[in-house]
Amino acid sequence: MKRLLTTLVLFWIAYDGWEGTFLESVAFALPLYLFFTFVDQISRRIALPACIAFVAALEILLVPATTYWLLPSSMPIESNTYFSYALPAFSLFYLGLMAWNRATATHVDHQKAIQSAIDALGDNQRAGVILFLIGLAGFGVRTVMPGAPTFVSYIPSYCLYISVLYNWYARSPLRWPIVGLVGLVLGAYTVREGMFGELFFWLMLLTLFLMAGRTTPLSGKVKAVFVTFAFALLLLIQSLKAEYRHNTWGYSRQERSGNAGLMGELIADRLSDPAKLLTPIHFYRSFTRFNQGLMIGSAMAKVPLHEPYANGEVLLSLMHPFVPRFLWANKPQTGGYENIRRFTSLPQSENTSINLSPLGEGYVNFGYGGILFALGYGLLLGYAFQLVCQAATNRPTIILWLPMLFIGCLTMETDLLSTWGSLLNNTLFLMVLYWLLGRFSVRL
């Protein structure tokens, strides 16, 4: 009830105090309600669906609404036009996502599920070490051979992070060295590539799971510290990312380089003067980074006036993961380049990546019928989460793989091909891994 009352107060402040339109005010207040819900679930449940919902609301609703108030000329279409699609599309996506989650909540206690995984691990300390070695090998392949298939590079490298959960819950004497080594590898990758998303999201996912494994929920004060630290880390990343990339990236992906000294200098500079994190330019860069309204709005401005609806081509993305690239020479690439080029007027270059999001793809394919497509996408993610929770009743440790299975589905900054492909390929890899290691008497 407190969350609802607070949300209504925020709506009224936006509507009456800031003179926002009705749709803008709803788009401002709803994400804050989902934020309170997400924080409330931390340590009480595996808050993955709540996290996905809040991040999507932030990118689709809150940031665009605030941008319409502060810099309306930067948005490609009028506010009411944008929110007449974005608000109902997000709402149905959320209903689809949480429908399965509510059904699961009636018969799955997440804390007991993690405790069952801990009991299943027992003193099985070998599995965590083997996963660490597999993850390390995957990182080696993706570093030395950037063009290697994801099934032998990126996906195996995720085992590095899952090994943290395995070693931690098995009470392995190597758990602290492995946590330190995983942090070192992740930090080295961030410095080398200048890509900060993996650092932030994996830290967040592992923290959420370790919190959910507690026997007693965290207090509100501890959660507030966690959330404050997460936002501070996000501000730090956004404040130094542009400067770091400017000095280490060239004009193409092949011209990227790492500079640990520069990274250390930038971090030391920000920490010695935290006021630099709060400057208007840094807030603006952080804000626009999460503005999916720019992409969806640009698509609504172009389609169907200058580009016809795709009439369901997006659904072909559901079949792409089943066809290997060596059998399909022109198989579409993930990353959104083709979607942005075809359906928007936004600039796109090889060294940057922006994407239309599944909700944006719903519009360019079906117009306002994309609202129903958003419902289907939410149902897909929610059902996948429910299946994992159900599978954990027979194989308890499956629950520890949720971060890897959903790492590609956390934000709306990607397309259906990327999210669905990530979920499906990670699931297939996990099935192969369970079978293969089982042949060598390694129990995951």
Side-chain angles (χ1 to χ4, degrees):
M1 182 60 70
K2 289 182 179 179
R3 278 178 281 161
L4 182 59
L5 290 176
T6 303
T7 303
L8 291 175
V9 170
L10 291 170
F11 166 80
W12 186 251
I13 290 173
Y15 184 70
D16 186 62
W18 298 342
E19 298 182 349
T21 66
F22 177 80
L23 295 180
E24 289 173 350
S25 302
V26 173
F28 175 78
L30 179 58
L32 296 175
Y33 174 81
L34 298 180
F35 172 72
F36 299 143
T37 301
F38 168 51
V39 173
D40 178 66
Q41 289 190 10
I42 293 174
S43 81
R44 295 176 54 247
R45 294 181 56 79
I46 297 174
L48 189 56
C51 177
I52 293 173
F54 165 64
V55 173
L58 176 75
E59 297 169 338
I60 301 292
L61 301 180
L62 179 61
V63 175
T66 308
T67 305
Y68 273 115
W69 293 334
L70 300 178
L71 294 168
S73 61
S74 67
M75 298 296 285
I77 58 175
E78 292 296 321
S79 169
N80 284 339
T81 303
Y82 172 74
F83 286 115
S84 67
Y85 172 77
L87 190 55
F90 170 80
S91 299
L92 286 188
F93 164 75
Y94 175 70
L95 290 176
L97 175 67
M98 303 309 291
W100 295 113
N101 188 47
R102 289 192 181 93
T104 303
T106 61
H107 62 274
V108 176
D109 186 315
H110 289 174
Q111 290 179 324
K112 289 183 179 179
I114 293 180
Q115 186 59 51
S116 296
I118 296 173
D119 295 339
L121 283 174
D123 60 352
N124 179 15
Q125 299 171 7
R126 184 169 61 150
V129 175
I130 291 174
L131 289 177
F132 173 78
L133 295 176
I134 292 173
L136 203 59
F139 253 102
V141 172
R142 65 190 276 191
T143 300
V144 177
M145 303 171 58
T150 58
F151 214 77
V152 297
S153 57
Y154 274 84
I155 299 179
S157 72
Y158 296 154
C159 291
L160 200 66
Y161 309 116
I162 304 303
S163 73
V164 171
L165 298 179
Y166 267 74
N167 282 283
W168 188 267
Y169 287 132
R171 307 303 294 173
S172 168
L174 297 175
R175 62 185 182 278
W176 283 113
I178 284 179
V179 168
L181 288 172
V182 170
L184 184 63
V185 171
L186 182 55
Y189 171 78
T190 303
V191 169
R192 181 180 182 274
E193 298 293 329
M195 302 294 289
F196 297 84
E198 188 164 341
L199 171 70
F200 180 81
F201 282 116
W202 274 110
L203 285 177
M204 181 182 68
L205 282 172
L206 293 178
T207 303
L208 286 178
F209 265 74
L210 292 173
M211 287 182 174
R214 292 174 52 88
T215 55
T216 56
L218 295 173
S219 66
K221 291 182 179 180
V222 174
K223 291 181 183 182
V225 171
F226 165 71
V227 172
T228 301
F229 176 79
F231 276 110
L233 177 61
L234 194 59
L235 279 175
L236 176 64
I237 288 173
Q238 292 300 322
S239 72
L240 59 83
K241 182 172 66 175
E243 186 175 348
Y244 182 77
R245 289 179 176 179
H246 176 75
N247 287 279
T248 57
W249 284 14
Y251 292 99
S252 68
R253 295 184 184 272
Q254 289 72 31
E255 295 177 315
R256 295 180 181 179
S257 62
N259 189 329
L262 175 61
M263 178 70 77
E265 291 176 8
L266 292 174
I267 294 175
D269 176 65
R270 301 305 191 268
L271 295 181
S272 63
D273 187 7
K276 291 184 178 181
L277 302 178
L278 306 176
T279 60
I281 186 63
H282 286 151
F283 267 119
Y284 174 75
R285 287 173 178 171
S286 299
F287 225 64
T288 55
R289 173 67 178 80
F290 298 101
N291 192 354
Q292 275 295 313
L294 290 172
M295 276 64 83
I296 297 176
S298 182
M300 294 178 70
K302 187 174 182 179
V303 179
L305 186 60
H306 302 291
E307 174 73 23
Y309 293 120
N311 294 319
E313 286 183 24
V314 67
L315 297 179
L316 294 176
S317 297
L318 297 175
M319 303 303 299
H320 292 163
F322 295 101
V323 185
R325 193 169 296 279
F326 69 87
L327 295 179
W328 186 357
N330 297 320
K331 182 177 178 180
Q333 296 280 352
T334 60
Y337 181 87
E338 180 59 25
N339 280 341
I340 295 299
R341 183 202 64 79
R342 178 179 175 184
F343 297 115
T344 78
S345 302
L346 299 171
Q348 173 74 303
S349 68
E350 183 184 354
N351 219 11
T352 60
S353 178
I354 55 177
N355 215 322
L356 196 52
S357 82
L359 269 61
E361 287 182 298
Y363 176 82
V364 300
N365 277 270
F366 309 110
Y368 280 83
I371 294 171
L372 295 179
F373 177 79
L375 172 64
Y377 179 61
L379 287 170
L380 176 66
L381 294 187
Y383 185 59
F385 183 81
Q386 183 202 36
L387 283 180
V388 176
C389 291
Q390 289 179 337
T393 59
N394 297 319
R395 282 186 174 268
T397 55
I398 287 288
I399 205 81
L400 302 180
W401 293 86
L402 275 170
M404 172 176 163
L405 295 176
F406 281 86
I407 185 63
C409 308
L410 290 178
T411 79
M412 283 288 175
E413 297 180 34
T414 186
D415 53 15
L416 183 65
L417 173 58
S418 300
T419 55
W420 169 245
S422 171
L423 182 59
L424 193 64
N425 288 331
N426 291 348
T427 302
L428 180 60
F429 175 83
L430 180 56
M431 294 170 62
V432 171
L433 189 65
Y434 261 78
W435 174 82
L436 185 61
L437 292 184
R439 304 281 290 182
F440 293 93
S441 300
V442 177
R443 179 168 51 90
L444 290 181

